[in-house]
Amino acid sequence: MSPPSARLQTKPVITCLKTFLISYSLIFWFTGVILLAVGVWGKVNLEFDFLLSSDQGTNAPYVLIGTGAIIIIFGLFGCFATCRGSPWMLKLYAMFLVLVFLAELVAGISGFIFRHEIKAVLQGAYKKAESVYSGKGNEDLDRIQRTLQCCGEKNYTSWANTDYFKHEGIPNSCCNMTAGGNCTSAELKDLNTAASVVYQRGCFSLMTTTLEANLGIIAGISFGIAFFQLIGIFLACCLSRYITNNQYEMV
């Protein structure tokens, strides 16, 4: 056992490590809150159920909600383990951060490598949702077109290949109200006249263009968040080692 003087000298170091680790854990917890909020917002407001219900769909909102909830729990656990000064809790916290780091790293690399395949899958799901559109129970496509001010997958002519267009024409959600369009039934059933009253931009191309334009920023943020876990791993391991080696007792 180290002499009391030596142990006393470690107290400022441990106090400093604890302060940094608690600050880190709070930031980590806050990122979980953000992920949870984004996931809930994406599900409630965007509700891309045509993708979620597709055989090749994505469960992105649910993944964000689940990941955010787990991070919130372990962020609080990290704060508790730090205040408690328990070496085994700190090691468990570090192990969780390692798993988060590896998962984020693999997800980021996979998403970048297979970005074209992912885009093709989502495009196929969008086309399928458009082809089975009936006007009832398809609020998701209508909401997307109104929110993004777009029409159809590539543009408004994409609707010409659907059964809905043959009977009803282009959906009313494509109507460009800002341009003063009347969007009568006759106009929506004729592609030539519809061109002057509906949105011109395609929905899927608009979403992917925006995403690809910011791909570098998104990738940078993603890898930055991933490597941020290394700070927590280092702090947790150092604090656990100092507490163990110097037999530091929490008061």
Side-chain angles (χ1 to χ4, degrees):
M1 181 183 297
S2 302
S5 60
R7 295 215 313 266
L8 288 174
Q9 291 175 0
T10 64
K11 287 187 177 182
V13 176
I14 293 176
T15 301
C16 183
L17 287 173
K18 284 177 60 180
T19 302
F20 281 121
L21 188 55
I22 289 177
S23 299
Y24 169 87
S25 298
L26 290 175
I27 295 174
F28 185 59
W29 174 86
F30 188 66
T31 60
V33 173
I34 293 176
L35 288 177
L36 181 64
V38 170
V40 172
W41 176 82
K43 177 59 183 152
V44 173
N45 292 290
L46 299 181
E47 293 207 18
F48 293 134
D49 288 336
F50 65 93
L51 293 178
L52 299 176
S53 61
S54 170
D55 294 336
Q56 296 179 314
T58 174
N59 293 314
Y62 298 108
V63 172
L64 288 175
I65 292 172
T67 303
I70 293 174
I71 289 178
I72 288 173
I73 293 172
F74 273 89
L76 294 175
F77 176 79
C79 292
F80 177 75
T82 305
C83 294
R84 188 71 188 275
S86 173
W88 73 267
M89 286 185 177
L90 290 169
K91 290 177 182 178
L92 180 61
Y93 184 46
M95 289 177 60
F96 169 74
L97 292 178
V98 170
L99 293 177
V100 172
F101 168 75
L102 293 176
E104 290 175 344
L105 197 61
V106 171
I109 294 175
S110 300
F112 183 78
I113 294 176
F114 299 106
R115 62 189 183 280
H116 298 299
E117 288 82 353
I118 295 173
K119 178 181 177 180
V121 169
L122 295 179
Q123 187 173 21
Y126 196 104
K127 287 181 177 179
K128 181 180 178 181
E130 196 172 76
S131 66
V132 299
Y133 180 86
S134 62
K136 296 181 179 180
N138 303 101
E139 295 83 0
D140 301 317
L141 281 177
D142 290 329
R143 184 180 294 109
I144 291 170
Q145 293 186 145
R146 290 194 182 97
T147 303
L148 299 181
Q149 296 186 346
C150 57
C151 185
E153 179 231 332
K154 292 184 178 179
N155 52 50
Y156 69 96
T157 61
S158 297
W159 285 104
N161 301 318
T162 64
D163 292 333
Y164 183 83
F165 178 82
K166 297 175 183 177
H167 299 91
E168 303 293 336
I170 297 174
N172 192 262
S173 57
C174 282
C175 186
N176 188 354
M177 303 301 293
T178 58
N182 296 321
C183 294
T184 63
S185 177
E187 289 176 326
L188 293 175
K189 289 182 179 180
D190 189 314
L191 288 179
N192 293 324
T193 56
S196 60
V197 296
V198 299
Y199 297 119
Q200 300 295 308
R201 298 181 299 179
C203 294
F204 189 78
S205 59
L206 177 62
M207 291 187 293
T208 54
T209 298
T210 303
L211 181 63
E212 290 172 351
N214 296 280
L215 187 60
I217 297 175
I218 295 173
I221 294 174
S222 300
F223 283 109
I225 292 174
F227 282 97
F228 179 67
Q229 316 308 327
L230 295 178
I231 300 175
I233 296 170
F234 173 78
L235 291 173
C237 290
C238 285
L239 182 57
S240 175
R241 187 190 65 179
Y242 269 98
I243 293 174
T244 302
N245 292 346
N246 297 279
Q247 299 179 352
Y248 182 77
E249 298 181 356
M250 298 296 298
V251 178

